[in-house]
Amino acid sequence: MNVAELSSLALQTFLTMLVVMDPIGLAPIFIGLAGNRPSFERRRMAVRASLVAGIIILLFGLFGRALLEHLGISLSSFRIAGGILLFLIALDMVFARPSGSKETAEEEQEAQERQDISVFPLAIPLIAGPGTLASIMILAGDAHGSPLLLSAVFLVTGVVLLLCYLALRLSGQIARVIGLTGVHVVTRVLGVLLGALAVQYVADGVLELLRGGLKTGTGLLRAAGLA
């Protein structure tokens, strides 16, 4: 492990988590769900949502791979599935469409009527949604068991989570400054980046599966005395 590898993984983690969590995009949603609440209550919701989302992300990053192994799912297969999911989210971001991975219309209506929206839908699925959880498991797998690399993944993810918290706290100011059009512009740019990262995930997963298949095939040939 060298500094270049650490920097590369840290940058990849930051870009991936930034576009998946989409802190800027959280601001207008939070205003729509909690804009009529007192400021102290909005602050409490922002803190609680960030903490709950952080705990969920940490658990998936630490134990997600063990869960996959228990289910007999390879990291390569999960990387491909996660890449496809992220690409679908990216399409919704680019075309400014409501993403089904975030929440359904029924869930949004329920959120409007709930007393406390910090756990649902803020923490789950707006911050720690399927795309975020898939990404943290893939990025944690890229650490290859290195404590330093894994710490970098979680530290950088924590920085993005802090940005999400700040976006929730400053949601009123953000909405006033950039407006709905500005939110859509930022979301579309992040969607393009997320699409590129998703394609890279799929490509890496396919290559890993092909390499594994070639190794298995070569091993079988050798065992049969044909290679």
Side-chain angles (χ1 to χ4, degrees):
M1 196 274 295
N2 51 40
V3 176
E5 185 180 3
L6 178 63
S7 302
S8 176
L9 184 58
L11 180 60
Q12 182 184 357
T13 301
F14 180 77
L15 291 176
T16 302
M17 289 304 179
L18 184 68
V19 297
V20 173
M21 293 188 191
D22 189 14
I24 297 298
L26 287 175
I29 297 175
F30 187 56
I31 285 295
L33 293 175
N36 59 345
R37 310 285 179 92
S39 59
F40 75 90
E41 189 175 352
R42 293 200 302 270
R43 287 197 298 269
R44 180 180 61 81
M45 288 180 179
V47 171
R48 188 177 181 188
S50 301
L51 289 176
V52 171
I55 292 172
I56 294 171
I57 293 169
L58 179 64
L59 290 176
F60 265 79
L62 290 175
F63 305 112
R65 186 161 189 174
L67 176 62
L68 291 182
E69 292 176 353
H70 178 72
L71 296 174
I73 301 172
S74 70
L75 186 61
S76 303
S77 299
F78 187 83
R79 193 186 300 273
I80 295 172
I84 293 172
L85 172 62
L86 294 179
F87 188 77
L88 294 176
I89 296 174
L91 288 179
D92 289 332
M93 293 173 67
V94 170
F95 293 105
R97 300 184 304 217
S99 177
S101 71
K102 294 291 186 180
E103 57 179 344
T104 63
E106 292 79 7
E107 290 171 339
E108 183 177 359
Q109 178 63 33
E110 181 185 350
Q112 294 283 355
E113 300 169 355
R114 289 175 66 92
Q115 289 291 327
D116 188 354
I117 61 170
S118 56
V119 175
F120 173 83
L122 278 183
I124 310 169
L126 290 177
I127 300 177
T132 303
L133 300 181
S135 297
I136 192 64
M137 290 175 67
I138 293 172
L139 291 165
D142 289 341
H144 304 298
S146 169
L148 183 58
L149 291 178
L150 193 60
S151 299
V153 168
F154 288 131
L155 179 62
V156 173
T157 301
V159 171
V160 178
L161 193 60
L162 177 61
L163 294 179
C164 290
Y165 166 73
L166 293 176
L168 295 177
R169 283 291 307 271
L170 304 174
S171 55
Q173 294 89 320
I174 293 174
R176 283 195 297 269
V177 170
I178 68 176
L180 184 60
T181 301
V183 170
H184 284 168
V185 169
V186 173
T187 299
R188 284 186 168 100
V189 172
L190 294 177
V192 173
L193 292 174
L194 180 59
L197 286 169
V199 171
Q200 188 62 54
Y201 280 161
V202 173
D204 290 344
V206 170
L207 285 175
E208 289 172 3
L209 285 178
L210 290 176
R211 290 193 191 105
L214 288 174
K215 289 180 180 178
T216 301
T218 301
L220 292 173
L221 288 174
R222 286 175 177 169
L226 299 175

